[in-house]
Amino acid sequence: MISVVNGLKGSIEGTTLTFTQAAVQTCIVQLMRHSLNFCACKGRKALAFDPRAIYGVATADQAAAQLGAFEEKWARKFGSNALARP
């Protein structure tokens, strides 16, 4: 079972306690909305639009290349630590 949660406090813990073998991830829409809170209003539209190049490609290799380009572009503005992958 895969569960996609909205990131509310306790939602991941509650799901994993109830469904011990479930794979739980936070909804990408919620992650993006939260990330935009750290961006000035002037740059939000561009920052929200750029990830489409990553998840709109056909292969994982193309996605990795687009992710690298995204990181290069936005690391200059937000710093490389802000874009670090978990």
Side-chain angles (χ1 to χ4, degrees), residues 2-66:
I2 298 172
S3 178
V4 179
V5 296
N6 63 0
L8 288 175
K9 198 172 197 174
S11 60
I12 294 174
E13 293 83 7
T15 303
T16 55
L17 285 173
T18 306
F19 304 101
T20 55
Q21 295 180 355
V24 181
Q25 74 177 47
T26 305
C27 175
I28 187 67
V29 174
Q30 299 295 331
L31 290 173
M32 286 297 299
R33 289 179 72 204
H34 178 71
S35 297
L36 292 175
N37 290 334
F38 300 98
C39 179
C41 291
K42 189 167 108 179
R44 284 184 185 180
K45 192 172 189 176
L47 184 59
F49 183 77
D50 280 358
R52 293 179 186 185
I54 300 167
Y55 58 77
V57 297
T59 67
D61 290 335
Q62 291 173 336
Q66 291 295 334

